[in-house]
Amino acid sequence: MAKTDQNINPTSWDWFSAAHRRDTGIATEHPSEDAREKNGNGLSAYWRKNTSHLEAVELANILRALNKVVGYVGSNTGKVEWAGMSSNNGAIVLDPALVMDDPYPVSYKKFDYLVGIAVHEALRRTQWVDLVWSKVAERSQHLDFSDQILLHKVVHFGETIYVDIISEPTMLGKYTQIARKTALGPVPSDHFSPSVDDLFQRWWIQSFDRKEQRGASLLEKPMGILSGLTAQLREIAGSQSRVANRCTQRVTHYMDALAGLMGMVRGWKGRDNRLIWLPEGNLSTKTTKRKKTSSMKRLSAEITQSVEERLSAYSNDLTPIVRSVAGTDNPDVVPTSRWDFNISAHPVLDTKMVSRLKSIIQSYANRKTVFNRGLEAGRVDRRRLYRAPIGGRCFYDKQRLPVVDWTVCILVDATASMAGYGKWRMVENTLGAVHKAFSGFQNRIQGYGYFEVEGVCMISRLIDGNRVLSVPPSGQTASGQAIILAAHFMPANANKKIIIHITDGESNFGCHVRYGIDYCQRSRIHLVTLGIGYKDRAAMKRQYGKSIQFVDGFGQLPNAVENLFKWTFMYGKVPLSFSLAKSSDQAQIEERFIQNH
């Protein structure tokens, strides 16, 4: 597939290069024309509220807002990123120098300009501008080099005008208008020997500003051809034909316009006599792209990591969060993503276990004193004795209610070794019982399951409000990265936090478990791993150290979780060891159930 040469800006933000060379004070150059000038604010002042004085936070907020706007343009438009970020391939790349030289937060007018750039580039992708260039290349192979330069200018400015026409009927057209006025600058002055570049710049201006109809006599005939081309582009933009058909129509009109212009502008000088678009694999294209990349100001590694980490909290790609803990250059870190395609679970609840867990919470949780005053009976309230002859409501009642100040996260290994009706069913039943027991106590419980799909570590919620969810167990075990993410998504304002990690084997995928253990210690999170039914306990001991507890079988999982909660709520810490009722009838029944299924 042929690609564009971004140095000569056929499809990139650099077609607004004039704005990069001067201040983007749009209000000074174009005084109050519409609502954006009201009270000195830009259009984005009506909806952009998430701003910050911190550089990394503000840069991340800008990208989040721009990606939301670009999402309204259409699908497959790509992400908006700053130059220097890790995944610039296929993204709409912006130069951070546009905002980094000014104080934060970025002004609304400059943000309007950034929106205009992003919307324009996104529309180029939805209108298949690359297809137009590839068709033009096929039909221009017989032309001389000078005629090819002229054709490329016709196509480049024609596609720019066409995209602006597409945006006009919508509110997004206000933003592209701001970016266009900033990029155009002043109207070229009249002189006896106009250049090709002045001709096309004047065409761009007159296509949207009818007041600018003046020009030298030498420009009248070529401008007549280009004005007719503008009318044809507006007709194509308003048609209901398919995108591919509209691309073919535009190519035909560009070739016709070239035939009329070649005899009129032959011999005119041009400031830029390079081809704008070259096929993929051309050496000059690669060289030019390298120059363009180096001319952009790139974010530092520290700021890039901070921006990507903040963006990951609101996106599906969670890899930057893992890298911020395990190291940006850690080769063991694998791609990590959210999994939102979970299904509803139907656990079979053990009502006795639920009752015991609730009793543990109510018996060993911290207490707070609540006074209920103004009662007709109870203890005498000296502060309300004056109400005795009036209504008799001079009594009060004192209660000590449990305060659940523990935030619990249950992290479940949902890899292929957990597949099978018996194992996974027992995990679902235990998760459902714990969720039921915690309901009514501020719902401070989280549940996640992790597994691997095609080299990507997936992590999925298993508790969503009042629902218990499930996922299909598959893949390898990336326990280290899952522990990091579970700890990261725990509320920072919680005083007491515990992660119960349930697994049946060693971690064999992704970064080492020690990164997750160390991260939990730094975040003051109690981590306990329940290793269930794994024969090589020494190997798991080497990975998890003192944070692991061993359980003989899945039938003992409910009792292990129950004893763990009891010890934690009683003593305020994770036990180094605890005993299980291994010979209980219930455990034997559950073991037989698993073996039979």
Side-chain angles (χ1 to χ4, degrees):
M1 177 93 182
K3 294 184 178 179
T4 54
D5 187 345
Q6 295 187 4
N7 187 43
I8 315 179
N9 60 49
T11 61
S12 69
W13 65 272
D14 197 43
W15 70 280
F16 295 103
S17 57
H20 183 50
R21 295 190 299 268
R22 65 174 184 273
D23 183 68
T24 56
I26 301 171
T28 303
E29 297 180 10
H30 308 284
S32 54
E33 299 176 350
D34 50 34
R36 75 175 186 273
E37 304 297 339
K38 184 178 180 181
N39 299 327
N41 292 330
L43 285 173
S44 56
Y46 294 98
W47 57 271
R48 184 174 183 253
K49 306 300 180 184
N50 193 10
T51 60
S52 175
H53 293 277
L54 302 177
E55 183 176 47
V57 179
E58 179 67 358
L59 292 176
N61 290 339
I62 291 173
L63 292 186
R64 284 182 57 200
L66 292 179
N67 280 297
K68 288 181 181 179
V69 175
V70 168
Y72 287 105
V73 175
S75 57
N76 300 326
T77 54
K79 297 188 299 182
V80 183
E81 294 183 346
W82 300 115
M85 296 181 65
S86 60
S87 56
N88 282 165
N89 292 333
I92 300 174
V93 183
L94 301 178
D95 192 342
L98 295 172
V99 297
M100 292 184 71
D101 296 334
D102 295 338
Y104 297 107
V106 173
S107 65
Y108 292 114
K109 293 174 184 177
K110 178 164 288 189
F111 185 78
D112 290 347
Y113 169 73
L114 294 175
V115 174
I117 297 175
V119 169
H120 187 93
E121 174 61 18
L123 285 172
R124 296 180 77 95
R125 300 185 179 195
T126 59
Q127 299 302 316
W128 296 5
V129 174
D130 281 349
L131 179 60
V132 173
W133 280 103
S134 61
K135 289 180 176 293
V136 166
E138 294 175 359
R139 299 179 62 172
S140 62
Q141 296 178 357
H142 64 283
L143 297 176
D144 296 336
F145 184 74
S146 59
D147 293 335
Q148 287 188 10
I149 294 175
L150 180 61
L151 175 61
H152 280 216
K153 291 184 181 296
V154 172
V155 176
H156 169 55
F157 282 92
E159 288 299 284
T160 301
I161 293 171
Y162 177 76
V163 168
D164 284 350
I165 292 173
I166 292 292
S167 68
E168 272 187 327
T170 66
M171 184 61 196
L172 298 178
K174 295 289 186 180
Y175 293 98
T176 56
Q177 179 186 9
I178 293 171
R180 181 173 64 250
K181 288 183 177 181
T182 305
L184 282 172
V187 182
S189 59
D190 298 332
H191 47 82
F192 182 75
S193 300
S195 67
V196 177
D197 300 280
D198 292 340
L199 170 67
F200 286 104
Q201 184 178 2
R202 191 182 297 275
W203 174 37
W204 192 7
I205 296 173
Q206 293 187 8
S207 296
F208 299 95
D209 191 354
R210 297 183 179 179
K211 298 179 182 178
E212 294 291 344
Q213 297 294 337
R214 61 186 177 87
S217 58
L218 290 176
L219 297 177
E220 292 181 359
K221 290 185 178 180
M223 280 302 301
I225 296 176
L226 295 177
S227 300
L229 179 56
T230 301
Q232 293 170 339
L233 293 176
R234 288 188 177 275
E235 182 180 356
I236 295 174
S239 66
Q240 300 296 326
S241 58
R242 298 170 56 188
V243 179
N245 294 337
R246 280 182 278 166
C247 292
T248 303
Q249 295 174 15
R250 300 203 301 274
V251 171
T252 302
H253 292 316
Y254 293 148
M255 299 301 296
D256 295 341
L258 174 67
L261 290 174
M262 283 192 299
M264 298 181 185
V265 301
R266 191 182 299 276
W268 287 16
K269 295 182 179 179
R271 292 188 294 269
D272 193 347
N273 293 323
R274 293 175 295 176
L275 294 178
I276 297 178
W277 187 92
L278 292 172
E280 183 181 11
N282 189 287
L283 295 179
S284 60
T285 303
K286 295 182 178 180
T287 304
T288 307
K289 284 184 178 181
R290 194 177 300 114
K291 290 181 180 179
K292 172 61 187 172
T293 304
S294 61
S295 65
M296 276 190 179
K297 184 174 183 179
R298 302 172 67 86
L299 296 178
S300 64
E302 182 180 357
I303 296 179
T304 299
Q305 177 181 342
S306 180
V307 171
E308 291 179 344
E309 181 181 352
R310 294 180 184 278
L311 291 175
S312 295
Y314 305 94
S315 66
N316 289 331
D317 185 15
L318 304 177
T319 311
I321 297 177
V322 179
R323 290 191 179 278
S324 66
V325 176
T328 56
D329 56 347
N330 192 328
D332 296 330
V333 175
V334 296
T336 311
S337 178
R338 300 180 196 265
W339 177 274
D340 295 328
F341 304 99
N342 39 32
I343 58 178
S344 296
H346 302 282
V348 178
L349 298 182
D350 184 353
T351 56
K352 292 184 179 180
M353 178 181 177
V354 173
S355 300
R356 291 194 299 269
L357 287 175
K358 283 189 175 182
S359 177
I360 292 172
I361 295 173
Q362 293 175 351
S363 300
Y364 301 107
N366 294 336
R367 300 282 172 171
K368 68 176 179 179
T369 303
V370 177
F371 292 93
N372 190 6
R373 301 181 184 274
L375 302 179
E376 295 180 351
R379 297 182 180 181
V380 176
D381 190 354
R382 293 179 295 177
R383 297 165 51 181
R384 285 174 170 76
L385 282 177
Y386 67 91
R387 294 186 179 182
I390 301 174
R393 294 181 175 273
C394 59
F395 301 94
Y396 77 97
D397 183 28
K398 182 173 68 173
Q399 295 179 337
R400 291 181 57 82
L401 302 179
V403 178
V404 181
D405 55 355
W406 279 94
T407 299
V408 178
C409 175
I410 298 181
L411 181 64
V412 181
D413 176 5
T415 54
S417 59
M418 297 285 287
Y421 186 82
K423 291 183 178 181
W424 190 245
R425 188 64 172 171
M426 188 60 66
V427 171
E428 289 182 342
N429 294 345
T430 304
L431 185 63
V434 174
H435 176 261
K436 183 67 175 179
F438 269 77
S439 61
F441 295 97
Q442 302 178 1
N443 221 5
R444 301 183 64 177
I445 181 169
Q446 299 173 332
Y448 298 100
Y450 64 94
F451 54 99
E452 176 260 335
V453 176
E454 296 181 356
V456 179
C457 174
M458 299 290 185
I459 185 166
S460 176
R461 289 183 300 174
L462 297 181
I463 295 178
D464 183 14
N466 295 325
R467 296 190 305 156
V468 179
L469 305 174
S470 180
V471 293
S474 63
Q476 303 180 72
T477 308
S479 301
Q481 300 190 182
I483 293 173
I484 292 174
L485 293 173
H488 178 82
F489 288 118
M490 295 195 79
N493 57 352
N495 295 325
K496 299 179 180 179
K497 297 175 283 188
I498 178 173
I499 295 177
I500 302 176
H501 178 213
I502 301 174
T503 182
D504 66 340
E506 302 175 65
S507 176
N508 57 7
F509 187 60
C511 67
H512 199 276
V513 173
R514 70 173 182 271
Y515 294 107
I517 298 175
D518 295 341
Y519 182 57
C520 289
Q521 291 178 350
R522 294 195 302 269
S523 304
R524 295 184 179 180
I525 298 175
H526 299 276
L527 171 66
V528 58
T529 299
L530 297 181
I532 306 177
Y534 192 63
K535 296 181 180 179
D536 191 359
R537 293 189 174 186
M540 294 191 71
K541 192 73 173 180
R542 286 192 297 269
Q543 280 193 347
Y544 293 93
K546 295 181 180 180
S547 65
I548 190 169
Q549 304 294 333
F550 294 102
V551 182
D552 292 336
F554 277 85
Q556 300 171 5
L557 177 61
N559 291 333
V561 173
E562 183 179 340
N563 291 343
L564 178 61
F565 276 121
K566 184 176 180 179
W567 186 288
T568 303
F569 278 86
M570 284 180 60
Y571 300 103
K573 61 181 180 180
V574 176
L576 296 178
S577 62
F578 54 90
S579 61
L580 300 173
K582 299 182 180 180
S583 60
S584 64
D585 296 336
Q586 182 65 25
Q588 294 178 4
I589 294 173
E590 291 170 348
E591 285 292 350
R592 293 196 205 99
F593 174 80
I594 293 175
Q595 294 174 1
N596 294 332
H597 291 80

